[in-house]
Amino acid sequence: MTEIKTHSRRNFMQALAVGAGGLVAAGKASALPSPAPEKWDEETDIVIIGAGGAGLTAAVHAVDKKLGVIVLEKLPLVGGSSIICGGGFAVAGTDIQKALKIEDSKDLFFKDIMSVGENRNNPAVVRAYVDNALPTYQWMVDHGVVMDKTKLNANGSARRSVDVDPTSAITVLRDYATKRGAKILMRTPAERLAFDNASGRITGVFAKVKGKTVAIRARKGVLIASGGFARNKEMLGQYVPRMENSISICGLGSNGDGLKMAQAYGADVADMPYIKGTFGFTTKPSTIADMNLVFFDGGIIVNQKGQRFVNESISKKTIGDHALDQAGGVTYQIWDESIRQYALNGGFFIKRYEDRVKDSLIVGNTIAEVASKAGLDPAAVEATIKEYNGYVDGGKDLRFGRTTKTLDFGKIVKIEKAPFYIMPSRTVLLSTYCGIKINEKTEVIDVFGKVIPGLYAAGEVSGGFHGASYLGSTAFGKALVFGYVAAQVMANS
């Protein structure tokens, strides 16, 4: 049966290539497959499209396996969206957890990811992340990537989010790969994948080098690690119209070109309806640091009427959807000094974020004062907090069902100790969290559920891991872990 499928794909692609070959060469049928050239301009073991976290991790692991690597990066700098992310890496079972005597397990971690994803994630892909996160973490430490060993931030049911400086990590990975023979070609956009009719595989990439199209053969496979499409308004409108005019903070190359290259060969997609923004940003954000997640430390969120509208313990992505539905799209986080102190000692409102958003914070000695300064109805806000504090006494929020600070972690607390804080907040699109459908080996899956031989995808460009929403610190982690897995799989192919 497998042989029949392979021949069917081969014959189909050959028919397309023969029928459209002239058009492809002439640049008039860009959506059609591109046949492999009779002569390659260059050959290597692995071609990686994109020099972000996923691509560079794969490059380093591949050179460790003594494989030849060429990385194609269309921009003049490496890093993609990874270099501007928050740097959280969710891992269960680290030496840091053990030193801090934090109880956790891979099964609990798996449960958290699936729960936040509303069980719409691919369990096999989630399990691959959970099983490979710790080996990837240790591998990165062994390669010189600096991790903060003094604390862990809350993540799901446990403190498991390791702080990583993304700029430092990208620099370490780039330097390690290039010193050991990997070629990272800047300002070199990949344009098309090349399909070999005889073998029925993706065997290389057509790329633009100094205005000239060159063909690069990949003996073991091509890894698409080109990022998402948060900057492509047309694609956003196609999949989730409400996000078409959203504010985006992401890598400059996030326009969906890798996704399109895979779709030309029948690649399926996953999680596309669940593109979501992230809640908690200032009203005029420019970087990932313009964010405050203090609602996960016990704070509440109100709309312009001074009323709560959501369970603040659910995913910040889902909260983002609810916030977008509020009048004006701007809502307000409220917390007190007790919550602030808790947050600064290992919670979500970490110090570097507080320093960044300090100009957006509104402070008052009473609820009425801080509400008035924020332009909210003091009486409405006072009534909201009085009601909420009453729910805390009973252990459960009877209005929205909140019982914890975030997911299954931490009991809800009162807002009662001065000074009091408010930050006007909005939802921002950081990533598309969906894309090319992959299996647990990062192999690309077509619309018929079959593997496309020779083609892999990792990082933001891939779909199936997050599901309906996103557990914090798994986006950067997804890039690192699946970049590592992809290189391992290709090395063994």
Side-chain angles (χ1 to χ4, degrees), residues 187-209:
R187 295 186 176 88
T188 306
E191 295 187 318
R192 301 286 179 271
L193 302 173
F195 181 82
D196 180 67
N197 295 320
S199 64
R201 292 174 55 86
I202 298 295
T203 52
V205 178
F206 293 99
K208 187 74 73 174
V209 180

Side-chain angles (χ1 to χ4, degrees), residues 1-7 450:
M1 189 67 178
T2 302
E3 184 178 1
I4 292 174
K5 291 291 184 182
T6 300
H7 283 300
K450 301 299 180 181

Side-chain angles (χ1 to χ4, degrees), residues 83 86-87 145-148 163-170 476:
I83 206 166
V145 175
V146 178
M147 311 281 185
D148 187 338
D163 269 344
V164 185
D165 178 356
T167 301
S168 173
I170 291 296
F476 188 40

Side-chain angles (χ1 to χ4, degrees), residues 93-105:
T94 60
D95 52 344
I96 314 175
Q97 282 187 319
K98 293 175 183 177
L100 296 174
K101 297 181 179 179
I102 295 172
E103 293 185 7
D104 197 8
S105 69

